[in-house]
Amino acid sequence: MNHPSSRMRPVIAVVAVALALVLQVSVFPHVAWHGIVPNLCLLVVVGAALTINAPAAMVLGFVAGVALDLAPPADHVAGRWALALTVVAFLAARIRQDVKPTAAAVVATVAAASFIGTSIFALSGLLLGDSASVPDLLQVIAVAVLWDVLLTPIVLPPLMTLFGRLDPQLAAA
């Protein structure tokens, strides 16, 4: 039997991604370091992957990635963030199966997800001729991971609580 809140899961997940995207492209560029902003969409995807079922988290990762790929001021080949955030959702969901989501585990998962997602995005750009040099990419990856880890204590607890309420069977597990 479906839990009543499970019908609202897609709507709330899309609203969370939309809010993250709006903040990421409109507010955070004002505090960017060398043009690098925190990836709030990645944080939403990781929060979802740590609290809801893996297929739903992967769909959310794809949706969030497509939104990032198409939102202005995107200047890259579409599909790169979709690929990166789908992989991030898969890996974070796999981590969730093996590790209880303690505070330290969540921060480590965000760091790993940020590194992997940003690396996939950067390497796909390198292969497609969209990106700068490898040393520049390494700097972007390091700063992106730092940003995402710094925002983890602020963003992930309310997101994980929200997503946990949407999928109570997994939250209680």
Side-chain angles (χ1 to χ4, degrees), residues 39-146:
N39 194 335
L40 294 179
C41 290
L42 181 136
L43 293 177
V44 170
V45 169
V46 171
L50 291 174
T51 50
I52 65 174
N53 64 53
M58 290 175 64
V59 169
L60 184 63
F62 179 77
V63 168
V66 168
L68 266 176
D69 284 329
L70 299 178
D75 61 351
H76 59 273
V77 174
R80 290 173 51 200
W81 275 120
L83 171 64
L85 294 185
T86 303
V87 171
V88 161
F90 173 76
L91 295 174
R94 293 289 301 169
I95 289 170
R96 181 186 180 279
Q97 291 178 352
D98 299 334
V99 179
K100 186 178 185 317
T102 63
V106 169
V107 171
T109 302
V110 167
S114 181
F115 176 80
I116 290 166
T118 308
S119 295
I120 290 171
F121 179 79
L123 290 174
S124 64
L126 194 62
L127 291 173
L128 294 170
D130 270 0
S131 296
S133 66
V134 172
D136 291 338
L137 293 179
L138 293 174
Q139 179 184 4
V140 167
I141 292 168
V143 172
V145 170
L146 181 62

